[in-house]
Amino acid sequence: MLSSVRSRVLAVAAVVLCGSSCTVANSPSGDAGDAGSTLRVVLAQEPPTLEPCEASLTSTGVVVRSNISEPLLERDPGSGDLRPLLATAWRQTAPTTWTFDLRAGVIFHNGQPFTAQDAAFSIDRAVNSDLQCNVDGYVFDDDEKLGLEVSGDTGLTVHTVKPDPILPLRLSFVEMVPRTTSTTAKVREPVGTGPYAIESWETGVSITLRRNENYWGEPPAFPTARYVWRSEPSVRAAMITRGEADLATTLNPEDATEENSVAYPNNETTALRLDGREAPLDDIRVRKAIGMAVDREGIVGTLLAGLAEPAAQLIPDGVVGFNPTLKAAAYDPEAARALIREAAADGVPVEKKITLVARNTQFPRVAETAEALQYELAQVGLNVQIQMADTAAHLEYQLRPFPADVGPVALLIMHGNQAGDAAFTTSQYLRSNGPQSTFGTPELDARIAEAGGLAGPVRQDAFAAIFADQNESVAQYVHLAHMRGLLGIAKSVRYQPDSATGDEMRLAAVRPASAGEAR
Amino acid sequence: MLTFLRKRVVSSAIPLVFVVLGVFCLARLTGNPVNLYLPLSATAEQRAAFSAEHGFDQPILVQLWDYLGQVVQLDFGTSLRTDQPAAEMVLTAFPATLQLAAVTMLIAAAGAVLIGCLAAYRPNSLADRISSFLSMTAASIPDFWFAIMGVLVFGVSLEWLPTSGVSGGPEVWVLPIATLLIRPFGVLVQVVRGAMVAALSAPYTKVARSKGASEKRVVFGHALRNATTPALTVAGDLTIGLVNGAVVVETIFGWPGIGKLMIDSILQRDFAVLQAAVLLTAVTIFLLNILIDLCYALLDARVRQVVPA
């Protein structure tokens, strides 16, 4: 009996081991593919989907945008100018009308030609539909409807309800898909016009792209590209050092060296959002005191390893609306204590517990940053308790409707404005009823609405004034730092990251390093 | 034997039910996943529609009843994150964990028997002390630290092994298995050694020796057979721990197993996948428990008499 059971158990074990090992270990070239012919990219996480209308999500956009699918035009991350892509020209033909000339001779990965009908379809699908696309909420108002008119194969006219001077910029977030794409469900693996097409997606293991041999533009250098994902930053850095990957996203400062990484401005800004509806944060003296109590230079120099610079507003230089005259509040704990004492004398309950909510893995050493803030606020007489949260729990605090009965909250946020215009920041973070704003003022709301309808230098000035006003008369945000990212890059490739790299890594811009070439 | 089996199935199934119900309820206490799946500026109506579409607007008991009704029909729902059937995702990930656990336990058991027997044969000898020290150290090392050190030493510095991954030759197995192996191996060596020391000094081994049996037969034929029972029980528990807790290894090495899937599902509030993963893991642990008890009963007839109903 015993020997019979034993032999059966051994037989089952042999089948399990043999069978499954063949399933898992089936490629001689490793997860990331062959060096040289394959561009090997290691991400922090597997994209949940490659649906183009979700490409404003970092985890999706970093693979999809300008690699698999393309928009009509794109923003130059350096200059901020719009460049032609699938549209060759565009112009405002009336206050509420924009006309686009589309590129001829573009072919989708499935062999269908790209026409104005496809462009109208793609915009309609992403903006006007009920698909609940992230690009709809992030770039357009959810209730916004665009009128679309096609003339021939290459003419497209877009009508807006109100004048929209930055409509082309908004449309640079809408990826083009063929008319055969579902309008009732999001697609996991899309068809696009980009320099790469999806070859395979082995769930949990890798995504492989192959070069689009019918690409309308300059063909990319690598015939294939493969994405793998490792959530541990040390492993991502090790893969670069070891030559197992060519590019790795978001390294930690402690893992980065000059040989394995390069720092770049990633358009992200960290700040404390103070809930102005709850005492003691409903008193502007307390909010301003918090701004004075924070030692930004110290946090940047020690915890952020110098990979940041103190911030005085929610957007960095290079985004339309950036105010170069604003300076980060000086570290002045004595003045902060005086303001807190003054508020306390007027009956403000400054001793009430303030919850500082921060998100795990939001940026390197986020927990230590929260602890430093807690200490500095305690030094000026405030009672702060830290609550670390995962993304979902953090979103509960970040987005309307905010949780009830949780007391005063200081939320550590990181805002990235990849669209390049302050309208996307102010509508979310500064408007009284903005999805990520706890309060505001009617005056500021009116200025935001007015600035949104302006164009050119007056638009820049109007938004710059809004950021100054928030610091002076609202003080919902205590800005901490404009951040920099760390991209792992192997000696085998040449690539210059820019402020869009974290959200949109253009594989066609990567080329193999030639022998003896300096990085 | 059948009575024994029936009683064990009943007693083991009760925790399984509680685990499944507990995960269902606890997952929903973490909140509605609407914020993760809708645009930042989604309206209240869109949020309500999302909740209604996925049943999150219903009382938790109604949701539970619906879920159980689906499970009876082998419908485990659809992933919010990927829109794939939850059962498909779980069944794809599970073999990767199972094979890691199986290989690890085979190596741990074989190594532990060998070293445990050697250490026990001459108690307090230098070999015994070294093996005890090393096994206790192994049982105490945090697997996360060991994994990262393994990557840095054997992957980056010595360049002997790949840092991570699942595709490639046998070398991709070494670091994940070594990381998983270290704790069960340390524990098992201790258990085998202790059981063998007791067995080798028991009267029946003295009788065997007095009858002229060879030392090899005394150690492996008599003592080891009797020392197997406690070792098997511990090995069973350790195997269950491996199936359930390969999270660190899978996360660090990018191994697409059930542990990583569970963590991702928790972080993404992907309830259907989480529930399916927990259910499959619980069923596997349930079956492993039955298997261990059966082996235990086969090895020791006294066990069959004392199993509670």
Side-chain angles (χ1 to χ4, degrees):
Chain A
M1 174 73 181
L2 189 57
S3 68
S4 164
V5 170
R6 193 179 294 152
S7 58
R8 281 179 200 173
V9 168
L10 287 173
V12 169
V15 168
V16 166
L17 296 182
C18 247
S20 41
S21 66
C22 296
T23 309
V24 171
N26 58 1
S27 164
S29 56
D31 281 11
D34 296 318
S37 63
T38 301
L39 177 57
R40 304 158 303 165
V41 184
V42 53
L43 307 171
Q45 59 176 314
E46 180 175 17
T49 175
L50 298 179
E51 160 64 57
C53 83
E54 301 285 59
S56 57
L57 293 172
T58 297
S59 55
T60 296
V62 74
V63 176
V64 170
R65 278 170 65 84
S66 296
N67 293 323
I68 297 168
S69 59
E70 298 171 303
L72 294 180
L73 55 167
E74 63 182 355
R75 177 180 178 270
D76 184 315
S79 66
D81 296 337
L82 288 174
R83 295 190 302 215
L85 211 61
L86 295 182
T88 53
W90 55 93
R91 56 209 165 271
Q92 192 168 18
T93 47
T96 58
T97 304
W98 286 84
T99 299
F100 297 82
D101 300 332
L102 306 188
R103 191 177 297 279
V106 176
I107 297 172
F108 282 110
H109 299 149
N110 63 4
Q112 290 178 9
F114 166 72
T115 67
Q117 283 86 355
D118 296 299
F121 170 85
S122 302
I123 296 168
D124 188 55
R125 179 178 182 269
V127 182
N128 293 345
S129 75
D130 295 324
L131 272 181
Q132 297 176 338
C133 297
N134 264 281
V135 71
D136 193 8
Y138 178 66
V139 181
F140 299 88
D141 286 334
D142 278 306
D143 54 357
E144 185 167 2
K145 297 291 177 195
L146 299 176
L148 299 157
E149 200 180 316
V150 169
S151 54
D153 279 350
T154 58
L156 175 70
T157 303
V158 182
H159 301 281
T160 57
V161 176
K162 294 181 295 186
D164 187 353
I166 60 166
L167 182 76
L169 178 63
R170 294 186 202 277
L171 288 178
S172 72
F173 281 84
V174 179
E175 307 287 300
M176 296 295 115
V177 293
R179 278 167 284 170
T180 47
T181 308
S182 171
T183 54
T184 54
K186 293 175 183 170
V187 295
R188 188 165 156 76
E189 297 184 32
V191 166
T193 60
Y196 285 97
I198 300 171
E199 181 171 286
S200 64
W201 184 348
E202 198 179 342
T203 305
V205 180
S206 65
I207 294 172
T208 304
L209 309 183
R210 64 176 156 72
R211 186 163 56 196
N212 173 13
E213 300 300 343
N214 295 319
Y215 186 54
W216 60 270
E218 197 173 326
F222 290 90
T224 55
R226 183 171 290 176
Y227 296 92
V228 297
W229 30 89
R230 302 285 183 268
S231 54
E232 178 53 40
S234 304
V235 174
R236 293 199 295 278
M239 290 177 75
I240 294 293
T241 306
R242 178 82 161 79
E244 294 174 358
D246 300 308
L247 297 170
T249 57
T250 51
L251 299 192
N252 277 351
E254 54 265 39
D255 300 316
T257 64
E258 280 188 19
E259 287 73 35
N260 73 1
S261 65
V262 57
Y264 65 100
N266 60 5
N267 270 359
E268 299 280 357
T269 301
T270 48
L272 269 181
R273 188 192 70 190
L274 307 175
D275 187 345
R277 304 165 305 163
E278 291 267 1
L281 298 177
D282 61 351
D283 191 291
I284 193 167
R285 289 169 296 186
V286 175
R287 299 198 297 272
K288 287 196 169 180
I290 292 175
M292 295 174 184
V294 174
D295 180 5
R296 293 169 184 77
E297 297 281 357
I299 290 174
V300 165
T302 54
L303 296 177
L304 304 181
L307 290 167
E309 58 181 79
Q313 54 201 304
L314 275 175
I315 55 171
D317 195 2
V319 175
V320 172
F322 174 78
N323 189 332
T325 65
L326 295 180
K327 301 294 174 216
Y331 174 50
D332 191 348
E334 199 48 56
R337 270 192 286 271
L339 271 179
I340 297 288
R341 279 197 298 269
E342 189 183 316
D346 288 344
V348 176
V350 296
E351 71 291 343
K352 191 175 172 184
K353 186 188 78 181
I354 298 169
T355 306
L356 196 166
V357 181
R359 197 180 92 198
N360 297 315
T361 70
Q362 190 163 35
F363 54 85
R365 296 183 188 142
V366 61
E368 290 85 347
T369 302
E371 286 164 12
L373 291 170
Q374 180 190 37
Y375 173 78
E376 288 168 353
L377 299 189
Q379 292 301 299
V380 299
L382 294 173
N383 175 17
V384 175
Q385 182 176 324
I386 295 173
Q387 181 180 327
M388 297 303 294
D390 68 3
T391 302
H394 190 264
L395 279 170
E396 296 270 340
Y397 288 93
Q398 191 174 338
L399 296 172
R400 286 177 184 273
F402 302 120
D405 304 324
V406 292
V409 171
L411 185 76
L412 188 53
I413 62 160
M414 187 159 77
H415 167 55
N417 186 324
Q418 299 304 340
D421 190 283
F424 302 106
T425 299
T426 53
S427 63
Q428 290 273 326
Y429 289 86
L430 294 182
R431 222 172 48 194
S432 299
N433 61 349
Q436 305 191 54
S437 169
T438 62
F439 76 110
T441 64
E443 296 77 22
L444 199 66
D445 289 349
R447 296 179 73 167
I448 291 170
E450 185 187 357
L454 302 174
V458 288
R459 182 183 184 88
Q460 157 68 33
D461 293 345
F463 276 118
I466 286 169
F467 288 119
D469 195 27
Q470 120 64 43
N471 289 0
E472 194 54 41
S473 59
V474 183
Q476 179 175 194
Y477 295 92
V478 168
H479 308 100
L480 298 180
H482 298 306
M483 310 293 276
R484 288 168 71 82
L486 278 169
L487 180 79
I489 181 164
K491 291 175 182 170
S492 52
V493 297
R494 294 292 170 266
Y495 173 67
Q496 185 60 49
D498 54 42
S499 62
T501 293
D503 299 275
E504 177 184 346
M505 188 185 290
R506 298 171 197 191
L507 302 184
V510 188
R511 63 182 177 82
S514 46
E517 184 183 10
R519 189 154 81 192
Chain B
M1 195 64 180
L2 280 176
T3 307
F4 165 78
L5 186 62
R6 180 177 54 78
K7 288 177 177 175
R8 288 308 286 138
V9 167
V10 171
S11 62
S12 299
I14 293 169
L16 190 154
V17 171
F18 276 104
V19 164
V20 171
L21 296 183
V23 166
F24 184 92
C25 297
L26 288 173
R28 274 146 186 83
L29 289 179
T30 61
N32 190 330
V34 62
N35 286 331
L36 285 170
Y37 294 97
L38 288 188
L40 297 178
S41 58
T43 61
E45 292 75 27
Q46 287 172 324
R47 290 165 190 275
F50 178 89
S51 294
E53 182 188 350
H54 297 94
F56 299 142
D57 59 338
Q58 298 292 320
I60 195 165
L61 286 177
V62 175
Q63 293 184 45
L64 179 59
W65 181 252
D66 291 345
Y67 170 66
L68 293 175
Q70 288 176 330
V71 168
V72 167
Q73 301 169 60
L74 297 180
D75 175 6
F76 298 93
T78 304
S79 166
L80 288 173
R81 189 163 51 113
T82 67
D83 219 25
Q84 292 175 302
E88 183 185 308
M89 291 175 70
V90 169
L91 288 174
T92 302
F94 199 60
T97 298
L98 209 56
Q99 68 190 38
L100 264 188
V103 173
T104 300
M105 279 317 296
L106 282 178
I107 296 172
V113 165
L114 189 66
I115 294 177
C117 288
L118 281 174
Y121 191 65
R122 294 196 196 287
N124 295 321
S125 65
L126 183 63
D128 181 27
R129 287 177 190 177
I130 291 173
S131 73
S132 291
F133 173 76
L134 290 179
S135 61
M136 285 175 70
T137 305
S140 314
I141 287 180
D143 45 10
F144 180 84
W145 180 85
F146 185 84
I148 294 296
M149 286 298 112
V151 168
L152 293 179
V153 174
F154 296 102
V156 177
S157 298
L158 298 174
E159 299 190 9
W160 290 352
L161 299 168
T163 60
S164 55
V166 292
S167 301
E171 68 275 9
V172 300
W173 291 71
V174 177
L175 281 177
I177 286 181
T179 307
L180 264 187
L181 181 68
I182 186 160
R183 189 173 296 159
F185 180 71
V187 172
L188 270 182
V189 167
Q190 295 281 317
V191 171
V192 171
R193 181 200 170 274
M196 284 298 288
V197 166
L200 286 169
S201 59
Y204 60 83
T205 48
K206 290 175 184 165
V207 172
R209 281 194 177 106
S210 67
K211 286 184 176 176
S214 67
E215 277 303 291
K216 188 179 167 188
R217 176 147 182 79
V218 168
V219 172
F220 293 104
H222 293 274
L224 185 58
R225 185 186 167 95
N226 286 289
T228 303
T229 310
L232 186 68
T233 310
V234 175
D237 289 342
L238 291 170
T239 308
I240 288 168
L242 290 180
V243 171
N244 201 29
V247 173
V248 167
V249 164
E250 292 176 4
T251 301
I252 289 179
F253 295 106
W255 200 270
I258 200 85
K260 179 77 165 60
L261 187 67
M262 275 192 209
I263 290 293
D264 289 345
S265 303
I266 291 169
L267 293 176
Q268 295 292 322
R269 306 293 192 266
D270 200 348
F271 297 150
V273 178
L274 176 62
Q275 287 156 195
V278 170
L279 182 60
L280 181 63
T281 308
V283 168
T284 305
I285 290 171
F286 166 77
L287 293 175
L288 276 172
N289 269 322
I290 298 290
L291 190 66
I292 292 161
D293 286 342
L294 272 177
C295 295
Y296 200 21
L298 285 170
L299 289 168
D300 189 344
R302 290 168 300 178
V303 175
R304 296 195 288 272
Q305 313 302 321
V306 296
V307 169

